[in-house]
Amino acid sequence: MQTVFQRSYIVVAMSFLVIVSVFLTGCPKKVSPIGKVKSPQTQHNGAPSTDTERFGGDLTSLQEEDMPFQNRDNLFDLPPVESGSKPGEPPVLNDIFFDYGQWHVRSDNLPILRKNASWLAANESKKVEIEGHADKRGTNEYNLVLAEKRASAVQEYLVQFGVPSSKILVISYGEERPFCTKEDEACFQENRRAHFNVK
Amino acid sequence: MMWFLKIFFVIVVLSLQMPPLYAADIFLGTSKKRFDKIPIGIVSFQVTTPAHTASSSPKQPVELNDVLTIESVLNADLIRSQLFRVIPLDQGDKNGLDLSKEPGKAVMDWAKNKGVLAIAWAKLYPIADKWVMESYAYEANEWKSIIRVRMTSDTVRPLAHRFSDKLIYHFTGEKGLAETKIAYASDRGGTREVYLMDYDGENKIRLTSAPYMILPPRWSFDATQVGYTFYNHGVSDVYLVNLATSQRRKVFSSSRLSFPPVWSPTGDRVAFASTKDGNSEVYTMHPDGTHLKRLTSHHAADLSPTWSSTGNEIAFTSDRGGTPQIYVMDADGGNTRRLTHSGDYNTSASWSPQGDWIAYTCRNGGGFLKLCAISVDGRQQVEITTQGAWDDESPSWAPNGREIVFTSNRFGKSQIYVIRPDGTGLTRLTSDEGKNTSPVWAPR
């Protein structure tokens, strides 16, 4: 009985060793052919007997290439800047308003921005501060960044509309300087704005 | 190879015996419910007036209020630690004991009868313009003295805090919170300024006097400095103030927004968000303002960095997926991955000092901001606050990971509260007429 047990133990142990040796010896062999396929020398030396030939050459045919980004100027089909108010007239820069959580200028606000840009173009000596504001919902830090993105988006449009960027200053007040302090949507909308200060 | 297979086999067997991950208790650094708290008795503190100082001290006459304050502060500190159960001496106990001197055998016998493990006692007297407290603590069973320390302070509250932290350290080996501070922003004086307060909301000190808008403060890794930003007409000036010397120095300046620096736990680097390159990105630099490095590069906003406890990773807020979510990246800016996936508004992450959880501001179904936490592997998520038509925001962990300080407008104006990570133990720290926001707990 003992010898049978010992024998079967040896059989199990040996078969285990065989499996292990397959693992151990198998690994390095696997690595080298992959290395060969990737090396450019074997790809282009014309040797027909390599395994990769069966797959029609390079295993990884997918390649990528960066394309130049389209210039944003071409994305805007802008009408020419109208001749707005005459120099010396009091500033009539209207504020614009944003959707909840958004910083993109709504298309219905573009005419207002065009008008603002026209006035600034006509009054070359004037500078403008764009104040970004957010409603009280949301966290302080995120709202500071969000409000600045709003002001910054407005700045981009003004520049597109011909106002030199050197005349524009972007400021964020986040949720810190609300125009309205009631707790309703009408009030929140009042506070999601870009406000213009002419200097 | 053999040992590898053996270990693999052991792991497989063990994992079969373990309950599924989601069935595991979520243990968020607070004491377990049936944790056996240490019963401690506070024996009435004594006030004495040493003869040689009686005529010279401006603290005369010694006020009973100061003694009562010290006792009640110690009492509150020990209870808030969740490690102690304070056993009161009722009037009957007091009548039978001589409490005018250091506790003797009678007090120890009382303690043993009541099942009290530890006794705290102190003697308070003024010297010149300071308070001196001789603090004593004993293990009742063996009548063994465990703390005998003489402390001196201008005011009495720090004495009680120090005593509490010594007791906590003796019995648990853990550093207490009682001497830690919280920095925050408040407009209680009219303009919005940076303030400090003790961890219990007392002892408020104004740090700034800014003619401009100020951005929320941050602590240095060793709690010796506080950083803040003056934001004046689109220009950010980032300052550090040394709390010991009150010296201020400007470490960074930029057009657009630059938030105050967040120190790595080792203190060798700071991370901060700035919109100086167009939109908000996360940067690191050395604390002196040199070696500036940009970590994120994305047209979406990346902000509010918080370091892992090892300093190897940084969690931050980004709206690159359309809504603000919490992301984690390596401290060199590589290997960015999104951590939060539920909800459409997850911001202002705070990585726990123990490293296992990240608390953040989330938004519930009703559109109100609440506090959430997620395990660093993303597998477990908990809502710390859930109900109510108000906003809870800006979580910041206590250095021991047992409490979170945050802002809430649940009773009108924004005030500062603490809560345990399991949602219990809500305590209000500020209640003045100002708007108090953006609390950050000092490291130890």
Side-chain angles (χ1 to χ4, degrees), chain B residues 357-438:
Chain B
W357 288 86
I358 292 173
Y360 57 99
T361 308
C362 54
R363 193 160 64 182
N364 70 6
F368 292 99
L369 300 178
K370 298 294 164 194
L371 304 185
C372 285
I374 188 166
S375 62
V376 170
D377 61 7
R379 285 174 185 269
Q380 291 173 313
Q381 195 193 338
V382 294
E383 293 163 347
I384 298 168
T385 63
T386 50
Q387 303 298 315
W390 60 75
D391 290 327
D392 299 330
E393 59 179 293
S394 302
S396 171
W397 290 89
N400 67 359
R402 292 176 186 273
E403 294 183 21
I404 291 170
V405 65
F406 67 105
T407 307
S408 176
N409 61 359
R410 57 185 65 204
F411 297 121
K413 275 196 175 174
S414 287
Q415 299 291 351
I416 294 168
Y417 297 78
V418 290
I419 196 166
R420 292 181 207 132
D422 64 1
T424 65
L426 180 76
T427 308
R428 183 168 172 170
L429 296 189
T430 60
S431 50
D432 53 48
E433 66 289 348
K435 188 182 166 201
N436 299 305
T437 59
S438 311

Coordinates of all heavy atoms in Angstrom, one line a residue, chain B residues 357-438:
Chain B
W357 N -10.3 56.6 1.3 CA -11.6 57.2 0.8 C -11.3 58.6 0.2 O -10.4 59.3 0.7 CB -12.6 57.3 1.9 CG -13.2 55.9 2.3 CD1 -12.6 55.1 3.2 CD2 -14.4 55.3 1.8 NE1 -13.4 53.9 3.2 CE2 -14.5 54.1 2.4 CE3 -15.3 55.7 0.8 CZ2 -15.5 53.2 2.1 CZ3 -16.4 54.8 0.5 CH2 -16.5 53.6 1.2
I358 N -12.2 59.0 -0.7 CA -12.2 60.4 -1.2 C -13.6 60.9 -1.0 O -14.6 60.4 -1.5 CB -11.8 60.4 -2.7 CG1 -10.4 60.0 -2.9 CG2 -12.1 61.8 -3.3 CD1 -9.9 59.9 -4.3
A359 N -13.7 62.0 -0.2 CA -15.0 62.6 0.0 C -15.1 63.7 -1.0 O -14.1 64.3 -1.5 CB -15.1 63.3 1.4
Y360 N -16.4 64.0 -1.4 CA -16.6 65.1 -2.4 C -18.0 65.6 -2.4 O -18.8 65.1 -1.6 CB -16.3 64.5 -3.8 CG -17.1 63.3 -4.2 CD1 -18.2 63.4 -5.0 CD2 -16.7 62.0 -3.8 CE1 -19.0 62.3 -5.4 CE2 -17.5 60.9 -4.2 CZ -18.6 61.1 -4.9 OH -19.4 60.0 -5.3
T361 N -18.2 66.7 -3.1 CA -19.6 67.3 -3.1 C -20.3 66.6 -4.3 O -19.8 66.6 -5.4 CB -19.5 68.8 -3.3 OG1 -18.6 69.3 -2.3 CG2 -20.9 69.4 -3.2
C362 N -21.5 66.0 -4.0 CA -22.3 65.4 -5.0 C -23.6 66.1 -5.1 O -23.8 67.1 -4.3 CB -22.5 63.9 -4.7 SG -23.1 63.6 -3.1
R363 N -24.5 65.7 -6.0 CA -25.8 66.4 -6.1 C -26.9 65.3 -6.1 O -26.8 64.3 -6.8 CB -25.9 67.2 -7.3 CG -27.0 68.1 -7.3 CD -26.9 69.3 -8.3 NE -26.8 68.8 -9.6 CZ -26.6 69.7 -10.7 NH1 -26.4 70.9 -10.5 NH2 -26.5 69.2 -11.9
N364 N -27.9 65.5 -5.2 CA -28.9 64.5 -5.1 C -30.0 64.7 -6.2 O -30.0 65.6 -7.0 CB -29.5 64.4 -3.7 CG -30.3 65.6 -3.3 OD1 -30.6 66.5 -4.2 ND2 -30.8 65.7 -2.1
G365 N -31.1 63.8 -6.2 CA -32.1 63.9 -7.2 C -32.9 65.2 -7.2 O -33.4 65.6 -8.2
G366 N -32.9 65.9 -6.0 CA -33.6 67.1 -5.9 C -32.8 68.3 -6.4 O -33.3 69.5 -6.3
G367 N -31.6 68.1 -6.8 CA -30.7 69.2 -7.3 C -30.0 69.9 -6.2 O -29.4 70.9 -6.4
F368 N -29.9 69.3 -5.0 CA -29.2 69.9 -3.9 C -27.9 69.2 -3.7 O -27.7 68.0 -3.9 CB -30.0 69.9 -2.6 CG -31.2 70.7 -2.6 CD1 -32.5 70.1 -2.9 CD2 -31.2 72.1 -2.5 CE1 -33.6 71.0 -3.0 CE2 -32.3 72.9 -2.5 CZ -33.5 72.3 -2.8
L369 N -26.9 70.1 -3.3 CA -25.5 69.5 -3.1 C -25.5 68.8 -1.8 O -26.0 69.2 -0.8 CB -24.5 70.7 -3.1 CG -24.4 71.5 -4.3 CD1 -23.4 72.7 -4.1 CD2 -24.0 70.7 -5.5
K370 N -24.9 67.6 -1.8 CA -24.7 66.8 -0.6 C -23.3 66.3 -0.6 O -22.5 66.5 -1.5 CB -25.7 65.6 -0.7 CG -27.2 66.0 -0.8 CD -27.6 66.6 0.5 CE -28.9 67.4 0.3 NZ -29.2 68.3 1.4
L371 N -23.0 65.6 0.5 CA -21.6 65.0 0.7 C -21.6 63.5 0.3 O -22.5 62.8 0.8 CB -21.1 65.2 2.1 CG -21.1 66.6 2.7 CD1 -20.4 66.5 4.1 CD2 -20.3 67.5 1.8
C372 N -20.7 63.1 -0.5 CA -20.5 61.7 -0.8 C -19.1 61.3 -0.5 O -18.2 62.1 -0.3 CB -20.8 61.5 -2.3 SG -22.6 61.5 -2.7
A373 N -18.9 60.0 -0.5 CA -17.5 59.5 -0.4 C -17.4 58.2 -1.3 O -18.4 57.5 -1.5 CB -17.1 59.2 1.0
I374 N -16.2 58.0 -1.9 CA -16.0 56.9 -2.8 C -14.7 56.3 -2.4 O -13.7 57.0 -2.0 CB -16.0 57.3 -4.2 CG1 -16.0 56.0 -5.2 CG2 -14.9 58.2 -4.6 CD1 -16.4 56.3 -6.6
S375 N -14.6 54.9 -2.3 CA -13.3 54.3 -2.0 C -12.4 54.5 -3.2 O -12.8 54.7 -4.4 CB -13.5 52.8 -1.8 OG -14.0 52.2 -2.9
V376 N -11.1 54.5 -2.9 CA -10.1 54.9 -3.9 C -10.1 54.0 -5.1 O -9.8 54.4 -6.3 CB -8.7 55.1 -3.3 CG1 -7.7 55.2 -4.4 CG2 -8.7 56.2 -2.3
D377 N -10.5 52.7 -4.9 CA -10.6 51.7 -6.0 C -11.9 51.9 -6.8 O -12.2 51.2 -7.7 CB -10.4 50.3 -5.5 CG -11.5 49.9 -4.5 OD1 -12.4 50.6 -4.3 OD2 -11.3 48.8 -4.0
G378 N -12.8 52.8 -6.3 CA -14.1 53.0 -7.0 C -15.2 52.0 -6.8 O -16.2 52.1 -7.3
R379 N -14.9 51.0 -5.9 CA -15.9 49.9 -5.8 C -17.0 50.3 -4.8 O -18.1 49.7 -4.9 CB -15.2 48.7 -5.2 CG -14.3 47.9 -6.3 CD -13.6 46.8 -5.6 NE -12.7 46.2 -6.6 CZ -13.1 45.1 -7.3 NH1 -14.3 44.6 -7.3 NH2 -12.2 44.6 -8.2
Q380 N -16.7 51.1 -3.8 CA -17.7 51.4 -2.8 C -18.0 52.9 -2.8 O -17.1 53.7 -2.9 CB -17.2 51.0 -1.5 CG -17.2 49.5 -1.3 CD -16.6 49.1 0.0 OE1 -15.5 49.6 0.4 NE2 -17.2 48.2 0.7
Q381 N -19.3 53.3 -2.8 CA -19.6 54.7 -2.8 C -20.7 54.9 -1.7 O -21.6 54.0 -1.6 CB -20.2 55.0 -4.1 CG -20.3 56.5 -4.3 CD -21.1 56.9 -5.6 OE1 -21.3 56.1 -6.5 NE2 -21.6 58.1 -5.6
V382 N -20.6 55.9 -0.9 CA -21.6 56.2 0.1 C -22.0 57.6 0.1 O -21.3 58.5 -0.3 CB -21.1 55.9 1.6 CG1 -20.8 54.4 1.7 CG2 -19.8 56.7 1.9
E383 N -23.3 57.8 0.5 CA -23.8 59.2 0.6 C -23.7 59.5 2.1 O -24.3 58.9 2.9 CB -25.2 59.3 0.1 CG -25.4 59.0 -1.4 CD -26.8 58.7 -1.8 OE1 -27.6 58.4 -0.9 OE2 -27.0 58.8 -3.0
I384 N -22.9 60.6 2.4 CA -22.8 61.0 3.8 C -24.0 61.8 4.3 O -24.5 61.6 5.4 CB -21.4 61.7 4.0 CG1 -20.3 60.8 3.6 CG2 -21.3 62.2 5.5 CD1 -19.0 61.5 3.5
T385 N -24.4 62.8 3.5 CA -25.6 63.5 3.7 C -26.5 63.2 2.5 O -26.0 63.1 1.4 CB -25.4 65.0 3.9 OG1 -24.9 65.6 2.8 CG2 -24.5 65.3 5.1
T386 N -27.8 63.1 2.8 CA -28.7 62.8 1.7 C -29.9 63.7 1.6 O -30.3 64.1 0.5 CB -29.2 61.3 1.8 OG1 -29.7 61.1 3.1 CG2 -28.1 60.3 1.5
Q387 N -30.6 63.9 2.7 CA -31.9 64.5 2.7 C -31.8 66.1 2.8 O -30.8 66.6 3.3 CB -32.8 64.0 3.8 CG -33.0 62.5 3.7 CD -33.7 62.1 2.5 OE1 -34.7 62.7 2.1 NE2 -33.2 61.0 1.8
G388 N -32.9 66.7 2.5 CA -33.0 68.2 2.8 C -32.9 69.1 1.7 O -32.1 68.9 0.8
A389 N -33.7 70.2 1.7 CA -33.7 71.2 0.6 C -32.7 72.2 0.9 O -33.0 73.4 1.2 CB -35.1 71.8 0.5
W390 N -31.4 71.8 1.0 CA -30.3 72.7 1.3 C -29.0 72.1 0.7 O -29.0 71.0 0.3 CB -30.1 73.0 2.8 CG -29.8 71.7 3.5 CD1 -28.6 71.1 3.6 CD2 -30.7 71.0 4.4 NE1 -28.8 70.0 4.4 CE2 -30.0 69.9 4.9 CE3 -32.1 71.2 4.8 CZ2 -30.6 69.0 5.8 CZ3 -32.6 70.3 5.6 CH2 -31.9 69.2 6.1
D391 N -28.0 73.0 0.6 CA -26.7 72.5 0.1 C -25.7 72.2 1.1 O -25.5 73.0 2.0 CB -26.2 73.6 -0.9 CG -27.0 73.8 -2.1 OD1 -27.5 72.8 -2.6 OD2 -27.1 74.9 -2.6
D392 N -25.1 71.0 1.0 CA -23.9 70.7 1.9 C -22.7 70.6 0.9 O -22.8 69.9 -0.1 CB -24.1 69.3 2.5 CG -25.3 69.3 3.5 OD1 -25.6 70.4 4.0 OD2 -25.9 68.2 3.6
E393 N -21.6 71.3 1.2 CA -20.5 71.3 0.2 C -19.1 71.5 0.9 O -19.1 71.7 2.1 CB -20.7 72.4 -0.9 CG -20.8 73.8 -0.3 CD -21.0 74.8 -1.5 OE1 -20.1 75.0 -2.2 OE2 -22.1 75.4 -1.5
S394 N -18.1 71.4 0.1 CA -16.7 71.6 0.5 C -16.2 70.8 1.6 O -15.8 71.2 2.7 CB -16.5 73.1 0.9 OG -16.8 74.0 -0.1
P395 N -16.3 69.4 1.5 CA -15.8 68.6 2.6 C -14.3 68.6 2.7 O -13.6 68.8 1.7 CB -16.2 67.2 2.1 CG -16.3 67.2 0.6 CD -16.7 68.7 0.3
S396 N -13.8 68.5 4.0 CA -12.4 68.4 4.2 C -12.2 67.5 5.4 O -12.8 67.7 6.5 CB -11.8 69.8 4.5 OG -10.5 69.8 5.0
W397 N -11.3 66.5 5.3 CA -11.2 65.5 6.3 C -10.4 66.0 7.5 O -9.4 66.7 7.4 CB -10.4 64.3 5.8 CG -11.1 63.5 4.8 CD1 -11.1 63.7 3.5 CD2 -11.9 62.3 5.1 NE1 -11.9 62.7 2.9 CE2 -12.4 61.8 3.8 CE3 -12.3 61.6 6.2 CZ2 -13.2 60.7 3.7 CZ3 -13.1 60.5 6.1 CH2 -13.5 60.0 4.9
A398 N -10.8 65.5 8.7 CA -10.0 65.7 9.9 C -8.7 64.8 9.7 O -8.8 63.8 9.1 CB -10.8 65.3 11.1
P399 N -7.6 65.2 10.3 CA -6.4 64.4 10.1 C -6.5 63.0 10.6 O -5.7 62.1 10.2 CB -5.3 65.2 10.9 CG -6.0 66.3 11.6 CD -7.4 66.5 11.1
N400 N -7.4 62.7 11.5 CA -7.5 61.3 12.0 C -8.6 60.5 11.1 O -8.8 59.3 11.4 CB -7.9 61.2 13.5 CG -9.2 61.7 13.8 OD1 -10.0 62.2 12.9 ND2 -9.6 61.7 15.0
G401 N -9.2 61.1 10.1 CA -10.1 60.5 9.3 C -11.5 60.1 9.9 O -12.3 59.4 9.3
R402 N -11.7 60.6 11.1 CA -12.9 60.3 11.8 C -14.0 61.3 11.7 O -15.2 61.1 12.1 CB -12.7 60.1 13.3 CG -11.8 58.9 13.7 CD -11.6 58.8 15.1 NE -10.6 57.7 15.5 CZ -11.0 56.5 15.7 NH1 -12.3 56.2 15.7 NH2 -10.1 55.6 16.0
E403 N -13.7 62.5 11.1 CA -14.7 63.5 11.0 C -14.4 64.3 9.7 O -13.3 64.2 9.1 CB -14.6 64.5 12.1 CG -15.0 64.0 13.5 CD -15.0 65.0 14.6 OE1 -15.1 66.2 14.3 OE2 -14.9 64.6 15.7
I404 N -15.5 64.9 9.2 CA -15.3 65.8 8.0 C -16.0 67.1 8.3 O -17.1 67.2 8.8 CB -16.1 65.1 6.8 CG1 -15.4 63.8 6.3 CG2 -16.2 66.1 5.6 CD1 -16.1 63.0 5.4
V405 N -15.2 68.2 8.0 CA -15.8 69.5 8.1 C -16.3 70.0 6.8 O -15.8 69.7 5.7 CB -14.7 70.5 8.7 CG1 -13.6 70.7 7.7 CG2 -15.3 71.8 9.1
F406 N -17.4 70.7 6.8 CA -18.1 71.1 5.5 C -18.9 72.4 5.7 O -19.1 72.8 6.8 CB -18.9 70.0 4.9 CG -20.1 69.6 5.7 CD1 -21.4 70.0 5.3 CD2 -20.0 68.9 6.9 CE1 -22.5 69.6 6.0 CE2 -21.1 68.6 7.6 CZ -22.4 68.9 7.2
T407 N -19.4 72.9 4.6 CA -20.3 74.1 4.6 C -21.7 73.6 4.4 O -22.0 72.8 3.5 CB -19.9 75.1 3.5 OG1 -18.5 75.4 3.6 CG2 -20.7 76.3 3.6
S408 N -22.7 74.2 5.1 CA -24.1 73.9 4.8 C -24.9 75.2 5.0 O -24.7 75.9 5.9 CB -24.6 72.8 5.7 OG -26.0 72.6 5.5
N409 N -26.0 75.3 4.2 CA -26.9 76.4 4.4 C -28.2 75.9 4.9 O -29.3 76.5 4.7 CB -27.1 77.3 3.2 CG -27.6 76.5 2.0 OD1 -27.9 75.3 2.1 ND2 -27.8 77.1 0.9
R410 N -28.2 74.8 5.7 CA -29.4 74.1 6.2 C -30.3 75.0 7.1 O -31.4 74.8 7.2 CB -29.1 72.8 6.8 CG -28.1 72.9 8.0 CD -27.8 71.5 8.5 NE -27.1 70.7 7.5 CZ -27.1 69.3 7.4 NH1 -27.8 68.7 8.3 NH2 -26.4 68.7 6.5
F411 N -29.6 76.0 7.8 CA -30.4 76.9 8.6 C -30.3 78.3 8.1 O -30.1 79.2 8.9 CB -30.0 76.8 10.1 CG -30.2 75.4 10.6 CD1 -29.2 74.6 11.1 CD2 -31.5 74.8 10.7 CE1 -29.4 73.4 11.7 CE2 -31.7 73.6 11.2 CZ -30.6 72.8 11.7
G412 N -30.3 78.5 6.8 CA -30.2 79.9 6.3 C -28.9 80.1 5.7 O -28.5 79.5 4.7
K413 N -28.1 81.1 6.3 CA -26.8 81.4 5.7 C -25.9 80.2 5.8 O -26.0 79.4 6.7 CB -26.3 82.6 6.4 CG -26.7 83.9 5.8 CD -25.9 85.1 6.3 CE -26.3 86.3 5.6 NZ -25.6 87.5 6.1
S414 N -24.9 80.2 4.9 CA -23.8 79.1 5.0 C -23.1 79.2 6.3 O -22.6 80.3 6.7 CB -22.9 79.3 3.8 OG -23.5 79.0 2.6
Q415 N -23.0 78.1 7.0 CA -22.3 77.9 8.2 C -21.4 76.7 8.1 O -21.6 75.8 7.2 CB -23.2 77.8 9.4 CG -24.1 79.1 9.6 CD -23.3 80.3 10.1 OE1 -22.1 80.3 10.4 NE2 -24.0 81.5 10.0
I416 N -20.5 76.5 9.1 CA -19.6 75.4 9.0 C -20.0 74.3 10.1 O -20.3 74.7 11.2 CB -18.1 75.9 9.2 CG1 -17.8 76.7 8.0 CG2 -17.2 74.7 9.4 CD1 -16.5 77.5 8.2
Y417 N -20.0 73.1 9.6 CA -20.4 72.0 10.4 C -19.3 70.9 10.3 O -18.5 70.8 9.4 CB -21.7 71.4 9.9 CG -22.9 72.3 10.0 CD1 -23.0 73.3 9.0 CD2 -23.9 72.2 11.0 CE1 -24.1 74.2 9.1 CE2 -24.9 73.0 11.0 CZ -25.1 74.0 10.1 OH -26.1 74.9 10.1
V418 N -19.4 69.9 11.3 CA -18.6 68.7 11.2 C -19.6 67.5 11.2 O -20.7 67.6 11.8 CB -17.5 68.5 12.2 CG1 -16.4 69.4 12.0 CG2 -18.1 68.6 13.6
I419 N -19.2 66.4 10.6 CA -20.0 65.2 10.6 C -19.1 64.0 10.5 O -17.9 64.2 10.0 CB -21.0 65.2 9.4 CG1 -22.1 64.2 9.6 CG2 -20.3 65.0 8.1 CD1 -23.3 64.4 8.6
R420 N -19.5 62.9 11.0 CA -18.7 61.7 10.9 C -18.9 61.1 9.5 O -20.0 61.3 8.9 CB -19.0 60.7 12.0 CG -18.6 61.2 13.3 CD -18.9 60.1 14.4 NE -19.2 60.8 15.7 CZ -20.2 60.6 16.5 NH1 -21.1 59.7 16.2 NH2 -20.3 61.2 17.6
P421 N -18.0 60.4 9.0 CA -18.1 59.9 7.6 C -19.3 58.9 7.4 O -19.8 58.7 6.3 CB -16.8 59.2 7.3 CG -15.9 59.7 8.3 CD -16.6 60.1 9.5
D422 N -19.8 58.4 8.5 CA -21.0 57.5 8.4 C -22.3 58.3 8.5 O -23.4 57.7 8.6 CB -21.0 56.4 9.5 CG -21.0 56.9 10.9 OD1 -21.1 58.2 11.1 OD2 -21.0 56.1 11.8
G423 N -22.2 59.6 8.6 CA -23.4 60.5 8.6 C -23.9 60.8 9.9 O -24.9 61.5 10.1
T424 N -23.3 60.3 11.0 CA -23.7 60.6 12.4 C -22.9 61.8 12.9 O -21.9 62.2 12.3 CB -23.6 59.4 13.3 OG1 -22.2 59.1 13.4 CG2 -24.3 58.2 12.7
G425 N -23.3 62.3 14.1 CA -22.5 63.2 14.9 C -22.4 64.6 14.3 O -21.4 65.3 14.4
L426 N -23.5 65.1 13.6 CA -23.5 66.4 13.0 C -23.3 67.5 14.2 O -24.1 67.4 15.1 CB -24.8 66.7 12.3 CG -24.9 68.0 11.6 CD1 -24.1 68.1 10.4 CD2 -26.4 68.4 11.3
T427 N -22.4 68.3 14.0 CA -22.1 69.4 15.0 C -21.9 70.7 14.3 O -21.1 70.8 13.3 CB -20.8 69.1 15.8 OG1 -21.0 67.7 16.3 CG2 -20.7 70.0 17.0
R428 N -22.5 71.8 14.7 CA -22.4 73.1 14.1 C -21.2 73.8 14.8 O -21.2 73.9 16.0 CB -23.7 73.9 14.3 CG -23.7 75.2 13.6 CD -25.1 75.8 13.5 NE -25.1 77.1 13.1 CZ -26.2 77.8 12.7 NH1 -27.3 77.2 12.9 NH2 -26.1 79.0 12.3
L429 N -20.3 74.4 14.0 CA -19.1 75.0 14.5 C -19.3 76.6 14.5 O -18.7 77.2 15.3 CB -17.9 74.6 13.8 CG -17.4 73.2 13.8 CD1 -16.0 73.1 13.2 CD2 -17.4 72.7 15.3
T430 N -20.0 77.1 13.5 CA -20.1 78.6 13.4 C -21.6 78.9 13.5 O -22.4 78.2 13.0 CB -19.5 79.2 12.1 OG1 -20.2 78.6 11.0 CG2 -18.0 78.9 12.0
S431 N -21.9 80.0 14.1 CA -23.3 80.5 14.1 C -23.4 82.0 14.3 O -24.2 82.5 15.0 CB -24.1 79.8 15.2 OG -23.4 79.9 16.4
D432 N -22.5 82.7 13.6 CA -22.6 84.2 13.6 C -23.4 84.6 12.4 O -23.9 83.9 11.6 CB -21.2 84.8 13.7 CG -20.3 84.3 12.5 OD1 -20.8 84.3 11.4 OD2 -19.1 83.9 12.8
E433 N -23.5 86.0 12.3 CA -24.4 86.5 11.3 C -23.7 86.5 9.9 O -24.3 86.8 8.9 CB -24.7 88.0 11.6 CG -23.6 89.0 11.7 CD -22.6 88.8 12.8 OE1 -23.0 88.0 13.8 OE2 -21.5 89.3 12.8
G434 N -22.4 86.1 9.8 CA -21.7 86.1 8.5 C -22.0 84.9 7.7 O -22.7 83.9 8.2
K435 N -21.5 84.9 6.5 CA -21.6 83.7 5.6 C -20.2 83.0 5.7 O -19.2 83.6 5.4 CB -21.8 84.2 4.2 CG -22.1 83.1 3.2 CD -22.3 83.6 1.8 CE -22.2 82.5 0.8 NZ -21.9 83.0 -0.6
N436 N -20.2 81.8 6.3 CA -19.0 81.1 6.6 C -18.8 79.9 5.7 O -19.7 79.1 5.7 CB -18.9 80.7 8.1 CG -19.0 81.9 9.0 OD1 -18.2 82.8 8.9 ND2 -20.0 81.9 9.9
T437 N -17.7 79.9 4.9 CA -17.6 78.9 3.9 C -16.2 78.3 3.8 O -15.3 78.8 4.5 CB -18.0 79.5 2.5 OG1 -17.1 80.5 2.2 CG2 -19.4 80.0 2.4
S438 N -16.1 77.3 2.9 CA -14.8 76.8 2.5 C -13.8 76.3 3.6 O -12.7 76.8 3.7 CB -14.0 77.8 1.6 OG -14.9 78.3 0.6

